[in-house]
Amino acid sequence: MEKNADKTTTASIREGRQDDVDEAYAFAKQHVVGPLSDDDNKRILSKIDRNLLPLMIITYTLNFMDKNALSYSANFGLTTDNHLVGNQYSWASGSIFYLAYMVSQPFVARLIVRFPIGRFVAIATMLWGAVLMTTAASRSFASLMTIRAILGCLESCINPAFIVISSQWWTRDEQPLRISYWYLGNSIGQVCGGLLGYGIAHITNRTVPNWAWFFLIFGAVTIFYGGFLFYYFPDSPLNARWLSEHDRALAIERVRSNRTGVENHVWKWSQFKECMLDVQCWILVATFFLDDIPAGGVASFGSIVVKGFGYSTLYSTLLLVPLGVIQAICILFGGFMTRRFKNIRTWLIAGCQVPALIGAVLLYTLPRENQRGLLGSYYVVQTHGIVGTLTMSLVASNFAGYTKKATASAMMYVAFCVGQVAAPQLFIPSEAPAYKSAFLAAFVCFALCILFSIALRFYLIWENKRRDRLSHAEGEVGNSDNEFLDLTDKQQKDVFHYVL
């Protein structure tokens, strides 16, 4: 089956149907540069890291701060001014946002394939900034829900797009660390959001309530930055304004060995179907879902939980800052470990769950009088933040074919959304401030994450060995010029091996 797909694609090129293959194929044919020297490789990598990574980090920081602006403002009158009662804050803060986020994913996957991905990210950024600013005008549950739903649709574009972008620019060995870098936006957003929240809380204005300034300031910054992205953010190495024509060819050549493609604007239903039937994809989806139930609680109820430990409103906002620092340390640790040791990603996913699991147990069992113990346990739970970067790096590295990768990315974020929707509902108002159900659920999720990540590792080891046996039995060498034919990992069994 895989051979037939390979031959069909190669034949279609000879017949002139270039739309079937990756756009990098024609570019590489026109600009033959051969294997890169070590000096050229380091020079191009340095240019990519300097010009692209900062844009992705800032975008992801704003994405985190803007979607969590409601959490920062919750203790400063937003719930009162919007007349929220019962679990209405839970619905507005997380559930409706991530329901909209989830529903948008099939459309996002199609849009990523159909349109230039750099412009797509920039336009989405400007639009969500504008929508965020309108939150300041909300004075009812209905209006708040409407705004949060629209915001969820727009912000849902970033994560799947960034997974695809990471596979366009960096090799499989480089991807975990670079994904860790841009994923640091969550940690930076946590720190900046806490510090800015502390400052914004001191703004006094008779006509504009304190909580509204979060949305006005954050939204205005995002709109301005989105305009800059529209000008500077490239769609792929093929049109990066900060690379010369020759350097663009070198950037394409650098990722040839990935065998996962660079850019293709044709939606392929065969790749979609293959993704839906891929066991690896579903294990990653399950792992991502389980990890995001605890993460969703921290995002929506972070300041409320910390305040429930016995701290003041202002001080509880400031105490959210260490959450971001801890998460950043763990993410960087995971990124550097994957650079130092090969095939360690699944072990890291399992290992980081252990301290998080211990923290969840302590939050469930410690007496409420142990204020410092509860706060310390809450911080320890953040070690699970590494799971997001590593699962995304596995999608970037192990899924070939532009449509398949876009589909897998969207599926991951459907799972992410389901977790985020469910998480706020576990914070039952009658259980405040202990929220026993929420932390019991976190304990169960961390334990299941360990099992799924170990199962994934042994499945991929089995699959790689099976491919080795098939290749040895057939005694054939794969086409040496098919790296940019937009073939999937299943269609390249003779040469494509999965990272662990």
Side-chain angles (χ1 to χ4, degrees):
M1 187 70 176
E2 289 77 17
K3 287 182 182 179
N4 291 339
D6 195 341
K7 290 175 182 177
T8 300
T9 309
T10 306
S12 71
I13 296 167
R14 288 197 295 266
E15 292 167 9
R17 284 158 41 200
Q18 294 285 342
D19 60 334
D20 282 345
V21 301
D22 198 288
E23 292 192 6
Y25 181 85
F27 191 89
K29 286 289 187 184
Q30 295 170 6
H31 304 80
V32 180
V33 293
L36 274 71
S37 66
D38 288 342
D39 288 341
D40 276 341
N41 187 51
K42 290 178 182 177
R43 181 175 62 83
I44 298 300
L45 177 60
S46 177
K47 276 191 174 184
I48 294 170
D49 286 346
R50 286 199 316 268
N51 288 277
L52 192 62
L53 267 180
L55 300 180
M56 297 177 77
I57 292 170
I58 295 170
T59 305
Y60 213 70
T61 299
L62 293 175
N63 184 271
F64 180 88
M65 290 173 61
D66 291 352
K67 71 184 175 186
N68 287 302
L70 206 70
S71 177
Y72 301 133
S73 61
N75 289 329
F76 299 101
L78 177 138
T79 55
T80 303
D81 288 353
N82 282 272
H83 313 291
L84 304 183
V85 295
N87 67 346
Q88 287 183 338
Y89 173 77
S90 297
W91 275 101
S93 64
S95 297
I96 189 62
F97 180 92
Y98 288 107
L99 277 172
Y101 200 119
M102 178 178 64
V103 171
S104 301
Q105 287 307 299
F107 304 101
V108 170
R110 292 296 300 268
L111 292 170
I112 287 172
V113 173
R114 297 292 294 175
F115 296 103
I117 199 166
R119 300 294 177 88
F120 175 69
V121 167
I123 292 171
T125 302
M126 287 187 284
L127 289 175
W128 99 55
V131 171
L132 183 70
M133 293 185 73
T134 66
T135 313
S138 175
R139 293 298 183 274
S140 69
F141 176 61
S143 62
L144 193 61
M145 289 281 281
T146 302
I147 293 168
R148 293 290 289 177
I150 298 171
L151 191 66
C153 292
L154 295 170
E155 290 207 33
S156 71
C157 303
I158 301 304
N159 284 297
F162 274 18
I163 293 178
V164 173
I165 290 167
S166 297
S167 68
Q168 288 179 325
W169 290 90
W170 291 287
T171 66
R172 296 169 87 188
D173 288 338
E174 295 164 352
Q175 286 165 12
L177 184 58
R178 270 63 188 189
I179 290 175
S180 297
Y181 284 147
W182 59 254
Y183 200 77
L184 278 177
N186 279 349
S187 305
I188 297 169
Q190 187 85 56
V191 173
C192 293
L195 294 174
L196 287 172
Y198 187 78
I200 291 171
H202 289 85
I203 297 176
T204 55
N205 188 298
R206 291 184 177 180
T207 56
V208 181
N210 276 18
W211 61 265
W213 288 107
F214 287 90
F215 305 103
L216 295 173
I217 294 172
F218 288 7
V221 171
T222 300
I223 293 171
F224 176 80
Y225 178 71
F228 172 74
L229 277 184
F230 191 84
Y231 169 78
Y232 200 73
F233 200 91
D235 300 312
S236 74
L238 301 175
N239 69 348
R241 62 176 64 248
W242 33 268
L243 290 176
S244 66
E245 192 80 1
H246 180 66
D247 283 352
R248 291 173 188 174
L250 292 176
I252 293 293
E253 189 64 30
R254 261 178 36 82
V255 297
R256 179 186 289 272
S257 62
N258 286 359
R259 310 188 71 90
T260 55
V262 174
E263 188 176 13
N264 186 291
H265 294 301
V266 178
W267 178 267
K268 298 178 180 177
W269 286 106
S270 61
Q271 291 192 12
F272 172 82
K273 180 180 178 181
E274 181 179 309
C275 186
M276 297 300 293
L277 298 175
D278 195 322
V279 174
Q280 178 189 188
C281 185
W282 286 108
I283 296 176
L284 285 170
V285 164
T287 304
F288 210 40
F289 163 71
L290 292 167
D291 179 68
D292 276 301
I293 289 180
V298 172
S300 297
F301 280 81
S303 60
I304 294 173
V305 169
V306 174
K307 184 181 178 182
F309 296 155
Y311 296 99
S312 68
T313 298
L314 276 175
Y315 197 45
S316 63
T317 303
L318 201 59
L319 286 173
L320 293 178
V321 172
L323 291 175
V325 176
I326 293 167
Q327 188 182 58
I329 292 171
C330 293
I331 289 172
L332 289 175
F333 170 78
F336 283 111
M337 287 294 286
T338 57
R339 186 179 180 183
R340 178 69 178 83
F341 302 101
K342 286 186 177 296
N343 291 326
I344 198 178
R345 301 183 205 184
T346 47
W347 284 135
L348 286 172
I349 292 172
C352 74
Q353 303 293 329
V354 175
L357 189 151
I358 294 171
V361 171
L362 290 174
L363 284 167
Y364 186 78
T365 58
L366 283 176
R368 303 307 298 176
E369 296 77 23
N370 191 346
Q371 191 180 45
R372 292 183 179 179
L374 289 168
L375 183 62
S377 300
Y378 195 58
Y379 288 157
V380 169
V381 169
Q382 287 305 298
T383 58
H384 78 102
I386 190 176
V387 174
T389 63
L390 294 175
T391 50
M392 285 189 286
S393 75
L394 286 170
V395 172
S397 299
N398 284 349
F399 290 80
Y402 202 74
T403 298
K404 183 176 182 181
K405 190 185 299 292
T407 302
S409 301
M411 288 174 66
M412 292 289 285
Y413 283 96
V414 168
F416 167 79
C417 294
V418 174
Q420 296 283 340
V421 169
Q425 305 308 317
L426 295 170
F427 286 79
I428 302 168
S430 62
E431 294 183 351
Y435 297 114
K436 292 284 188 178
S437 297
F439 295 115
L440 177 61
F443 166 79
V444 174
C445 288
F446 293 142
L448 289 174
C449 257
I450 294 173
L451 296 177
F452 275 111
S453 56
I454 293 173
L456 176 62
R457 181 176 188 84
F458 285 104
Y459 169 76
L460 293 177
I461 290 172
W462 173 80
E463 179 63 28
N464 284 341
K465 288 181 178 179
R466 189 173 73 91
R467 290 178 176 224
D468 287 337
R469 288 195 299 271
L470 286 172
S471 179
H472 180 73
E474 293 171 0
E476 296 181 5
V477 179
N479 186 351
S480 60
D481 193 30
N482 68 354
E483 296 91 344
F484 296 125
L485 299 189
D486 197 36
L487 301 175
T488 69
D489 47 284
K490 301 287 187 185
Q491 294 171 326
Q492 304 180 73
K493 287 189 176 182
D494 55 339
V495 289
F496 194 100
H497 280 67
Y498 297 111
V499 297
L500 312 176

mmCIF file of all heavy atoms in Angstrom, residues 176-197:
data_model
loop_
_atom_site.group_PDB
_atom_site.id
_atom_site.type_symbol
_atom_site.label_atom_id
_atom_site.label_comp_id
_atom_site.label_asym_id
_atom_site.label_seq_id
_atom_site.Cartn_x
_atom_site.Cartn_y
_atom_site.Cartn_z
ATOM 1 N N PRO A 176 12.262 19.467 19.961
ATOM 2 C CA PRO A 176 11.822 19.521 21.367
ATOM 3 C C PRO A 176 12.297 20.761 22.109
ATOM 4 O O PRO A 176 11.523 21.386 22.841
ATOM 5 C CB PRO A 176 12.431 18.246 21.970
ATOM 6 C CG PRO A 176 12.608 17.326 20.823
ATOM 7 C CD PRO A 176 12.959 18.202 19.662
ATOM 8 N N LEU A 177 13.559 21.143 21.920
ATOM 9 C CA LEU A 177 14.079 22.313 22.623
ATOM 10 C C LEU A 177 13.425 23.587 22.109
ATOM 11 O O LEU A 177 13.084 24.476 22.905
ATOM 12 C CB LEU A 177 15.598 22.392 22.460
ATOM 13 C CG LEU A 177 16.293 23.516 23.235
ATOM 14 C CD1 LEU A 177 16.008 23.399 24.733
ATOM 15 C CD2 LEU A 177 17.801 23.493 22.982
ATOM 16 N N ARG A 178 13.230 23.684 20.791
ATOM 17 C CA ARG A 178 12.603 24.905 20.240
ATOM 18 C C ARG A 178 11.133 24.997 20.637
ATOM 19 O O ARG A 178 10.637 26.086 20.946
ATOM 20 C CB ARG A 178 12.736 24.924 18.714
ATOM 21 C CG ARG A 178 13.997 25.591 18.212
ATOM 22 C CD ARG A 178 15.218 24.874 18.667
ATOM 23 N NE ARG A 178 16.463 25.574 18.366
ATOM 24 C CZ ARG A 178 17.651 25.014 18.543
ATOM 25 N NH1 ARG A 178 17.743 23.781 19.008
ATOM 26 N NH2 ARG A 178 18.750 25.699 18.290
ATOM 27 N N ILE A 179 10.435 23.876 20.660
ATOM 28 C CA ILE A 179 9.048 23.897 21.138
ATOM 29 C C ILE A 179 9.028 24.284 22.610
ATOM 30 O O ILE A 179 8.135 25.022 23.066
ATOM 31 C CB ILE A 179 8.375 22.540 20.905
ATOM 32 C CG1 ILE A 179 8.156 22.318 19.401
ATOM 33 C CG2 ILE A 179 7.031 22.453 21.637
ATOM 34 C CD1 ILE A 179 7.601 20.949 19.037
ATOM 35 N N SER A 180 10.013 23.813 23.373
ATOM 36 C CA SER A 180 10.113 24.216 24.786
ATOM 37 C C SER A 180 10.281 25.720 24.904
ATOM 38 O O SER A 180 9.699 26.352 25.793
ATOM 39 C CB SER A 180 11.304 23.509 25.452
ATOM 40 O OG SER A 180 11.130 22.110 25.475
ATOM 41 N N TYR A 181 11.079 26.302 24.003
ATOM 42 C CA TYR A 181 11.311 27.748 24.059
ATOM 43 C C TYR A 181 10.019 28.525 23.826
ATOM 44 O O TYR A 181 9.687 29.438 24.590
ATOM 45 C CB TYR A 181 12.362 28.160 23.022
ATOM 46 C CG TYR A 181 13.775 27.831 23.397
ATOM 47 C CD1 TYR A 181 14.718 27.498 22.423
ATOM 48 C CD2 TYR A 181 14.198 27.865 24.721
ATOM 49 C CE1 TYR A 181 16.033 27.198 22.764
ATOM 50 C CE2 TYR A 181 15.509 27.565 25.069
ATOM 51 C CZ TYR A 181 16.419 27.228 24.082
ATOM 52 O OH TYR A 181 17.711 26.932 24.419
ATOM 53 N N TRP A 182 9.288 28.184 22.729
ATOM 54 C CA TRP A 182 8.080 28.993 22.489
ATOM 55 C C TRP A 182 6.963 28.662 23.471
ATOM 56 O O TRP A 182 6.126 29.509 23.794
ATOM 57 C CB TRP A 182 7.604 28.937 21.044
ATOM 58 C CG TRP A 182 7.220 27.657 20.388
ATOM 59 C CD1 TRP A 182 7.933 26.979 19.457
ATOM 60 C CD2 TRP A 182 5.982 26.921 20.526
ATOM 61 N NE1 TRP A 182 7.240 25.858 19.021
ATOM 62 C CE2 TRP A 182 6.042 25.803 19.654
ATOM 63 C CE3 TRP A 182 4.839 27.105 21.299
ATOM 64 C CZ2 TRP A 182 4.999 24.883 19.546
ATOM 65 C CZ3 TRP A 182 3.804 26.185 21.191
ATOM 66 C CH2 TRP A 182 3.885 25.098 20.330
ATOM 67 N N TYR A 183 6.977 27.436 23.998
ATOM 68 C CA TYR A 183 5.998 27.077 25.018
ATOM 69 C C TYR A 183 6.265 27.807 26.338
ATOM 70 O O TYR A 183 5.379 27.889 27.199
ATOM 71 C CB TYR A 183 6.020 25.564 25.242
ATOM 72 C CG TYR A 183 4.773 25.003 25.885
ATOM 73 C CD1 TYR A 183 3.613 24.814 25.143
ATOM 74 C CD2 TYR A 183 4.752 24.653 27.228
ATOM 75 C CE1 TYR A 183 2.472 24.292 25.710
ATOM 76 C CE2 TYR A 183 3.605 24.117 27.809
ATOM 77 C CZ TYR A 183 2.476 23.944 27.053
ATOM 78 O OH TYR A 183 1.344 23.430 27.628
ATOM 79 N N LEU A 184 7.484 28.346 26.470
ATOM 80 C CA LEU A 184 7.799 29.168 27.646
ATOM 81 C C LEU A 184 6.886 30.383 27.737
ATOM 82 O O LEU A 184 6.817 31.029 28.788
ATOM 83 C CB LEU A 184 9.252 29.647 27.597
ATOM 84 C CG LEU A 184 10.333 28.677 28.073
ATOM 85 C CD1 LEU A 184 11.710 29.296 27.871
ATOM 86 C CD2 LEU A 184 10.135 28.338 29.539
ATOM 87 N N GLY A 185 6.224 30.708 26.627
ATOM 88 C CA GLY A 185 5.267 31.809 26.657
ATOM 89 C C GLY A 185 4.237 31.638 27.756
ATOM 90 O O GLY A 185 3.778 32.619 28.352
ATOM 91 N N ASN A 186 3.853 30.382 28.043
ATOM 92 C CA ASN A 186 2.925 30.124 29.148
ATOM 93 C C ASN A 186 3.511 30.586 30.472
ATOM 94 O O ASN A 186 2.843 31.221 31.290
ATOM 95 C CB ASN A 186 2.593 28.628 29.235
ATOM 96 C CG ASN A 186 1.525 28.210 28.240
ATOM 97 O OD1 ASN A 186 0.875 29.045 27.620
ATOM 98 N ND2 ASN A 186 1.354 26.924 28.077
ATOM 99 N N SER A 187 4.788 30.241 30.696
ATOM 100 C CA SER A 187 5.443 30.605 31.949
ATOM 101 C C SER A 187 5.678 32.112 32.032
ATOM 102 O O SER A 187 5.442 32.732 33.075
ATOM 103 C CB SER A 187 6.780 29.865 32.070
ATOM 104 O OG SER A 187 6.597 28.482 31.932
ATOM 105 N N ILE A 188 6.139 32.676 30.931
ATOM 106 C CA ILE A 188 6.364 34.132 30.899
ATOM 107 C C ILE A 188 5.044 34.855 31.113
ATOM 108 O O ILE A 188 4.971 35.852 31.843
ATOM 109 C CB ILE A 188 7.014 34.546 29.564
ATOM 110 C CG1 ILE A 188 8.393 33.893 29.421
ATOM 111 C CG2 ILE A 188 7.137 36.064 29.470
ATOM 112 C CD1 ILE A 188 8.998 34.038 28.035
ATOM 113 N N GLY A 189 3.984 34.340 30.467
ATOM 114 C CA GLY A 189 2.659 34.937 30.647
ATOM 115 C C GLY A 189 2.181 34.835 32.077
ATOM 116 O O GLY A 189 1.547 35.752 32.608
ATOM 117 N N GLN A 190 2.484 33.708 32.735
ATOM 118 C CA GLN A 190 2.102 33.535 34.140
ATOM 119 C C GLN A 190 2.787 34.568 35.019
ATOM 120 O O GLN A 190 2.172 35.190 35.887
ATOM 121 C CB GLN A 190 2.493 32.131 34.609
ATOM 122 C CG GLN A 190 1.997 31.764 35.995
ATOM 123 C CD GLN A 190 0.583 31.231 35.985
ATOM 124 O OE1 GLN A 190 0.282 30.271 35.289
ATOM 125 N NE2 GLN A 190 -0.288 31.840 36.737
ATOM 126 N N VAL A 191 4.106 34.767 34.773
ATOM 127 C CA VAL A 191 4.872 35.744 35.559
ATOM 128 C C VAL A 191 4.420 37.172 35.249
ATOM 129 O O VAL A 191 4.107 37.957 36.155
ATOM 130 C CB VAL A 191 6.375 35.586 35.278
ATOM 131 C CG1 VAL A 191 7.167 36.701 35.959
ATOM 132 C CG2 VAL A 191 6.875 34.227 35.756
ATOM 133 N N CYS A 192 4.374 37.509 33.954
ATOM 134 C CA CYS A 192 3.980 38.871 33.566
ATOM 135 C C CYS A 192 2.543 39.181 33.962
ATOM 136 O O CYS A 192 2.242 40.296 34.399
ATOM 137 C CB CYS A 192 4.152 39.055 32.057
ATOM 138 S SG CYS A 192 5.851 39.004 31.495
ATOM 139 N N GLY A 193 1.667 38.180 33.793
ATOM 140 C CA GLY A 193 0.273 38.388 34.157
ATOM 141 C C GLY A 193 0.121 38.682 35.640
ATOM 142 O O GLY A 193 -0.647 39.565 36.035
ATOM 143 N N GLY A 194 0.860 37.930 36.474
ATOM 144 C CA GLY A 194 0.791 38.167 37.920
ATOM 145 C C GLY A 194 1.315 39.534 38.305
ATOM 146 O O GLY A 194 0.701 40.259 39.099
ATOM 147 N N LEU A 195 2.457 39.918 37.711
ATOM 148 C CA LEU A 195 3.054 41.213 38.035
ATOM 149 C C LEU A 195 2.202 42.369 37.506
ATOM 150 O O LEU A 195 1.969 43.364 38.208
ATOM 151 C CB LEU A 195 4.471 41.296 37.456
ATOM 152 C CG LEU A 195 5.500 40.338 38.073
ATOM 153 C CD1 LEU A 195 6.815 40.410 37.313
ATOM 154 C CD2 LEU A 195 5.726 40.672 39.552
ATOM 155 N N LEU A 196 1.749 42.234 36.247
ATOM 156 C CA LEU A 196 0.898 43.288 35.679
ATOM 157 C C LEU A 196 -0.427 43.376 36.426
ATOM 158 O O LEU A 196 -0.960 44.471 36.643
ATOM 159 C CB LEU A 196 0.650 43.014 34.197
ATOM 160 C CG LEU A 196 1.828 43.261 33.257
ATOM 161 C CD1 LEU A 196 1.511 42.760 31.860
ATOM 162 C CD2 LEU A 196 2.178 44.752 33.212
ATOM 163 N N GLY A 197 -0.940 42.200 36.806
ATOM 164 C CA GLY A 197 -2.193 42.194 37.565
ATOM 165 C C GLY A 197 -2.062 42.938 38.874
ATOM 166 O O GLY A 197 -2.974 43.677 39.283
#
